[in-house]
Amino acid sequence: MSKDPPEHTETAYSLPPPAEPAVAPYLIVLGGSQVGDLHKLARPRTVVGRGETADLRIADDGMSREHAEILLDGQRVTVRDLGSTNGTFCNGAPVDPEREVADGDKLVLGGTTILKFTHGAGMEETYARDLHRNAGHDSSTRALRREFFLDRLEGEVAFALRHATPLAVVMWDLDRLTAVNDQYGRVAGDRVVASTAHRVGAAIRREDIFARYGGEEFAVACRATNMVCVFRVAERLREAISELVVTVGDDRLRVSASFGVAVCPSHGVSGAADLIAAAGAAVGRAKSHGRNRTEIAA
């Protein structure tokens, strides 16, 4: 009797799971002279500073030539202050002398440069750099977005308080933009907003921090600027806006803005939130007193 041939059996092999993409640590510049830049940490030791010997050079007057170092040990990342003049801070606490950092931690170096630590898994570096740079700015006005401005302002205020130097904020709101939108449409209103922002951007100092705070609300932070000087700045910007002519079809539109100014440190203003609140309240008074004027924080 013939036997049935043995059944053919497949030998099962366990395939290894696909390799996870390498997780690379990055520093994103949220505040300072190079907002939006993205730096991949590829070395065991990276020195951050403004000098020629620094691995990561950041042009900021408040930063020492060799300000701090970032140390990589496997997945462990440590920041260490290198005896800098103005200090290194992690999430508001001084780094003395070193501290381990985690994803999302914010480092403030010299009081004005803000770096966010993060990891990127398989992220193409050029795309990531462009993404973060564009994410920081409003597309139509090229001003900083509100969240980036507030991050930057926190560092600026800390620096001003620590060194007893004035920091001023100018805020303004375009007058009667709703009427423009109602009569000419939102496209025309957007053109007015962008045109006024571009006029202001060309009139301020390079080191001033210009942001779109809301729909038609803007702000500028000015280093080493007292109340007398910032009032003059606000008046100059107000006049620049009032002289602007925006063409919509056959019509030529003129707009105005109401301004408010505040300075830190001063009575009742000792932090970023206080500074914004004081300048915003001054804008409200300018509106109630007839618009197209500048009011000083009470």
Side-chain angles (χ1 to χ4, degrees), residues 186-249:
R186 289 297 300 270
V187 173
D190 291 344
R191 186 183 302 174
V192 168
V193 171
S195 298
T196 58
H198 297 160
R199 174 63 65 93
V200 169
I204 61 177
R205 302 177 302 181
R206 183 174 182 180
E207 64 266 28
D208 293 336
I209 309 163
F210 178 36
R212 187 173 188 177
Y213 200 75
E216 59 262 20
E217 189 177 13
F218 291 84
V220 172
C222 307
R223 296 177 181 174
T225 305
N226 60 29
M227 184 62 81
V228 172
C229 292
V230 76
F231 184 83
R232 293 174 182 164
V233 170
E235 280 292 279
R236 179 165 51 85
L237 297 181
R238 183 186 62 79
E239 291 171 2
I241 290 175
S242 65
E243 293 169 356
L244 180 65
V245 176
V246 181
T247 301
V248 178

Side-chain angles (χ1 to χ4, degrees), residues 6 10 30 45 56 60 67 70 75 92 128 143 166 169 187 203 215 276 280:
E10 298 272 350
L30 297 182
R45 179 177 184 263
L56 172 50
D60 192 321
H67 195 102
I70 310 295
Q75 292 298 305
V169 164
V187 173
I276 289 292

